[in-house]
Structure formats: C-alpha cells, structure tokens
Amino acid sequence: MAKFQFDKSAKKKAPRPIAKTDIAKPKESYDPNKVSQQLEEATSKATTTTKKRPVGRPKSGRKSYQTVRLQKQTVLKINALENALSIATQDETVDRAIEQVLRSLSNDEKRAYQLWLDMFKKREKK
C-alpha cells in the first residue's frame, strides 16, 4: 500500500501585518504651580461652603443622652408607671413626673429651680 503524505504548509495561514503604534503623548504635562492653585481654591471653597461631618455613625434623632444611676426600686417604679400610663419610653415617664412636680412648686422654689437649671445648661455648653 502506498503511504499518504500530508502537505502541512497548505493549512498554515500567513500572519497578518501589524500596524505601527504611535507613542501616546499626554494632552498636558504636570505643572506644580497649577496644582497648588487648584488645591488653594478647593480648600477655600470647602471651608466657606461645607461643614465637616463628624466621624462615625450619625446619632439617631440628634438627641444627646447621659447616664443616670438609679436604684433598682426606682427603676421598677418607673417601669410600672410606664406600663400603667402606656408611655413609650422611660425618658417620657420621667419627664412627665418632673413636669408634674414642677407644677406643684411654690414661686421661690420655681425661681431656685430656674437658677439651677440655667447654671447646669451653661456648664454643659463649656
């Protein structure tokens, strides 16, 4: 039998010609004077128009809280009042109780209360 021979050169494709690539040039070059001017303009705009946001998670409702130490008996009384009067929070319960006490104060006691309250608010602002 005759031996078959395959012509491999017929299957090969000729390589495509590669086009010459030009060297890319930037539209503008780095200018330190121009960059410093841009930074100065940006900082002047930022300080006059925008406020810095505080770092971290935002406070819900923008309320400020402070811890008060209470005896367990007092906390139980507050919770009982809260449930009996269908009040949403302990804070509202205490606020209502304080308002009721303030309504029953005499004129001298109210004046003393206002002075102390003003003093504590000023101390808090410092």
Side-chain angles (χ1 to χ4, degrees):
M1 288 194 109
K3 193 172 183 184
F4 291 106
Q5 289 185 344
F6 295 101
D7 187 14
K8 293 182 182 179
S9 63
K11 291 184 179 180
K12 287 188 180 178
K13 294 182 179 178
R16 282 186 278 161
I18 298 172
K20 182 180 176 184
T21 55
D22 295 327
I23 296 174
K25 293 182 182 177
K27 293 179 181 176
E28 59 183 64
S29 61
Y30 176 74
D31 185 14
N33 294 329
K34 188 175 182 183
V35 172
S36 63
Q37 287 175 353
Q38 288 174 349
L39 287 174
E40 288 174 5
E41 290 173 5
T43 54
S44 66
K45 286 181 183 177
T47 55
T48 57
T49 58
T50 60
K51 295 180 182 178
K52 284 189 175 181
R53 288 186 172 182
V55 178
R57 193 174 77 198
K59 295 178 183 176
S60 61
R62 301 285 184 224
K63 295 179 182 177
S64 62
Y65 293 93
Q66 194 168 359
T67 303
V68 178
R69 293 175 59 105
L70 298 173
Q71 292 182 358
K72 288 185 180 181
Q73 293 173 345
T74 309
V75 172
L76 293 176
K77 290 177 186 177
I78 291 171
N79 289 339
L81 272 174
E82 182 182 346
N83 291 329
L85 301 174
S86 300
I87 300 174
T89 62
Q90 289 179 338
D91 189 43
E92 287 182 44
T93 307
V94 172
D95 194 40
R96 276 194 189 180
I98 290 172
E99 288 296 324
Q100 200 166 19
V101 169
L102 290 176
R103 278 188 245 123
S104 67
L105 293 178
S106 67
N107 288 337
D108 291 337
E109 290 171 334
K110 284 182 184 178
R111 186 168 175 256
Y113 166 76
Q114 283 299 327
L115 290 172
W116 279 107
L117 185 63
D118 292 341
M119 192 257 320
F120 284 125
K121 284 181 180 178
K122 287 179 183 176
R123 186 189 298 172
E124 185 73 26
K125 287 182 181 179
K126 288 182 183 181

PDB file of all heavy atoms in Angstrom, residues 74-86:
ATOM      1  N   THR A  74     -36.313  52.262  92.224  1.00  0.00           N
ATOM      2  CA  THR A  74     -36.763  53.424  91.449  1.00  0.00           C
ATOM      3  C   THR A  74     -37.024  53.032  90.001  1.00  0.00           C
ATOM      4  O   THR A  74     -37.997  53.481  89.390  1.00  0.00           O
ATOM      5  CB  THR A  74     -35.716  54.549  91.528  1.00  0.00           C
ATOM      6  OG1 THR A  74     -35.387  54.777  92.895  1.00  0.00           O
ATOM      7  CG2 THR A  74     -36.227  55.819  90.894  1.00  0.00           C
ATOM      8  N   VAL A  75     -36.160  52.199  89.460  1.00  0.00           N
ATOM      9  CA  VAL A  75     -36.334  51.743  88.073  1.00  0.00           C
ATOM     10  C   VAL A  75     -37.616  50.927  87.948  1.00  0.00           C
ATOM     11  O   VAL A  75     -38.365  51.073  86.974  1.00  0.00           O
ATOM     12  CB  VAL A  75     -35.112  50.919  87.613  1.00  0.00           C
ATOM     13  CG1 VAL A  75     -35.360  50.279  86.252  1.00  0.00           C
ATOM     14  CG2 VAL A  75     -33.869  51.782  87.568  1.00  0.00           C
ATOM     15  N   LEU A  76     -37.892  50.098  88.942  1.00  0.00           N
ATOM     16  CA  LEU A  76     -39.130  49.307  88.918  1.00  0.00           C
ATOM     17  C   LEU A  76     -40.355  50.215  88.957  1.00  0.00           C
ATOM     18  O   LEU A  76     -41.344  49.983  88.258  1.00  0.00           O
ATOM     19  CB  LEU A  76     -39.149  48.320  90.088  1.00  0.00           C
ATOM     20  CG  LEU A  76     -38.103  47.196  90.044  1.00  0.00           C
ATOM     21  CD1 LEU A  76     -38.169  46.351  91.306  1.00  0.00           C
ATOM     22  CD2 LEU A  76     -38.272  46.338  88.815  1.00  0.00           C
ATOM     23  N   LYS A  77     -40.297  51.282  89.748  1.00  0.00           N
ATOM     24  CA  LYS A  77     -41.410  52.231  89.819  1.00  0.00           C
ATOM     25  C   LYS A  77     -41.601  52.934  88.472  1.00  0.00           C
ATOM     26  O   LYS A  77     -42.730  53.107  88.002  1.00  0.00           O
ATOM     27  CB  LYS A  77     -41.163  53.268  90.914  1.00  0.00           C
ATOM     28  CG  LYS A  77     -41.259  52.715  92.316  1.00  0.00           C
ATOM     29  CD  LYS A  77     -40.925  53.803  93.325  1.00  0.00           C
ATOM     30  CE  LYS A  77     -40.857  53.260  94.743  1.00  0.00           C
ATOM     31  NZ  LYS A  77     -40.469  54.302  95.711  1.00  0.00           N
ATOM     32  N   ILE A  78     -40.504  53.324  87.851  1.00  0.00           N
ATOM     33  CA  ILE A  78     -40.579  53.993  86.538  1.00  0.00           C
ATOM     34  C   ILE A  78     -41.182  53.057  85.504  1.00  0.00           C
ATOM     35  O   ILE A  78     -42.053  53.440  84.720  1.00  0.00           O
ATOM     36  CB  ILE A  78     -39.181  54.495  86.099  1.00  0.00           C
ATOM     37  CG1 ILE A  78     -38.728  55.647  86.994  1.00  0.00           C
ATOM     38  CG2 ILE A  78     -39.186  54.932  84.639  1.00  0.00           C
ATOM     39  CD1 ILE A  78     -37.297  56.054  86.778  1.00  0.00           C
ATOM     40  N   ASN A  79     -40.747  51.799  85.502  1.00  0.00           N
ATOM     41  CA  ASN A  79     -41.279  50.820  84.548  1.00  0.00           C
ATOM     42  C   ASN A  79     -42.765  50.566  84.783  1.00  0.00           C
ATOM     43  O   ASN A  79     -43.536  50.427  83.822  1.00  0.00           O
ATOM     44  CB  ASN A  79     -40.497  49.514  84.623  1.00  0.00           C
ATOM     45  CG  ASN A  79     -39.102  49.648  84.044  1.00  0.00           C
ATOM     46  OD1 ASN A  79     -38.830  50.547  83.259  1.00  0.00           O
ATOM     47  ND2 ASN A  79     -38.210  48.760  84.448  1.00  0.00           N
ATOM     48  N   ALA A  80     -43.184  50.507  86.056  1.00  0.00           N
ATOM     49  CA  ALA A  80     -44.594  50.293  86.369  1.00  0.00           C
ATOM     50  C   ALA A  80     -45.433  51.474  85.880  1.00  0.00           C
ATOM     51  O   ALA A  80     -46.504  51.292  85.297  1.00  0.00           O
ATOM     52  CB  ALA A  80     -44.768  50.085  87.866  1.00  0.00           C
ATOM     53  N   LEU A  81     -44.944  52.699  86.112  1.00  0.00           N
ATOM     54  CA  LEU A  81     -45.650  53.884  85.613  1.00  0.00           C
ATOM     55  C   LEU A  81     -45.724  53.889  84.094  1.00  0.00           C
ATOM     56  O   LEU A  81     -46.752  54.220  83.511  1.00  0.00           O
ATOM     57  CB  LEU A  81     -44.943  55.161  86.086  1.00  0.00           C
ATOM     58  CG  LEU A  81     -45.344  55.722  87.433  1.00  0.00           C
ATOM     59  CD1 LEU A  81     -44.439  56.893  87.815  1.00  0.00           C
ATOM     60  CD2 LEU A  81     -46.786  56.162  87.417  1.00  0.00           C
ATOM     61  N   GLU A  82     -44.623  53.523  83.478  1.00  0.00           N
ATOM     62  CA  GLU A  82     -44.563  53.484  82.011  1.00  0.00           C
ATOM     63  C   GLU A  82     -45.622  52.552  81.439  1.00  0.00           C
ATOM     64  O   GLU A  82     -46.339  52.893  80.495  1.00  0.00           O
ATOM     65  CB  GLU A  82     -43.163  53.036  81.589  1.00  0.00           C
ATOM     66  CG  GLU A  82     -42.915  52.984  80.116  1.00  0.00           C
ATOM     67  CD  GLU A  82     -41.521  52.484  79.793  1.00  0.00           C
ATOM     68  OE1 GLU A  82     -40.671  52.419  80.687  1.00  0.00           O
ATOM     69  OE2 GLU A  82     -41.301  52.150  78.619  1.00  0.00           O
ATOM     70  N   ASN A  83     -45.761  51.372  82.037  1.00  0.00           N
ATOM     71  CA  ASN A  83     -46.738  50.400  81.547  1.00  0.00           C
ATOM     72  C   ASN A  83     -48.168  50.793  81.920  1.00  0.00           C
ATOM     73  O   ASN A  83     -49.092  50.596  81.126  1.00  0.00           O
ATOM     74  CB  ASN A  83     -46.408  49.009  82.084  1.00  0.00           C
ATOM     75  CG  ASN A  83     -45.130  48.467  81.467  1.00  0.00           C
ATOM     76  OD1 ASN A  83     -44.808  48.779  80.335  1.00  0.00           O
ATOM     77  ND2 ASN A  83     -44.401  47.675  82.222  1.00  0.00           N
ATOM     78  N   ALA A  84     -48.347  51.352  83.109  1.00  0.00           N
ATOM     79  CA  ALA A  84     -49.692  51.712  83.553  1.00  0.00           C
ATOM     80  C   ALA A  84     -50.262  52.867  82.739  1.00  0.00           C
ATOM     81  O   ALA A  84     -51.460  52.897  82.434  1.00  0.00           O
ATOM     82  CB  ALA A  84     -49.664  52.077  85.039  1.00  0.00           C
ATOM     83  N   LEU A  85     -49.412  53.841  82.385  1.00  0.00           N
ATOM     84  CA  LEU A  85     -49.874  55.018  81.648  1.00  0.00           C
ATOM     85  C   LEU A  85     -49.707  54.878  80.138  1.00  0.00           C
ATOM     86  O   LEU A  85     -49.961  55.822  79.400  1.00  0.00           O
ATOM     87  CB  LEU A  85     -49.130  56.265  82.147  1.00  0.00           C
ATOM     88  CG  LEU A  85     -49.293  56.582  83.639  1.00  0.00           C
ATOM     89  CD1 LEU A  85     -48.407  57.743  84.023  1.00  0.00           C
ATOM     90  CD2 LEU A  85     -50.743  56.877  83.971  1.00  0.00           C
ATOM     91  N   SER A  86     -49.234  53.720  79.690  1.00  0.00           N
ATOM     92  CA  SER A  86     -48.999  53.449  78.262  1.00  0.00           C
ATOM     93  C   SER A  86     -48.085  54.502  77.636  1.00  0.00           C
ATOM     94  O   SER A  86     -48.370  55.058  76.574  1.00  0.00           O
ATOM     95  CB  SER A  86     -50.316  53.386  77.488  1.00  0.00           C
ATOM     96  OG  SER A  86     -51.130  52.374  78.000  1.00  0.00           O
TER      97      SER A  86
END
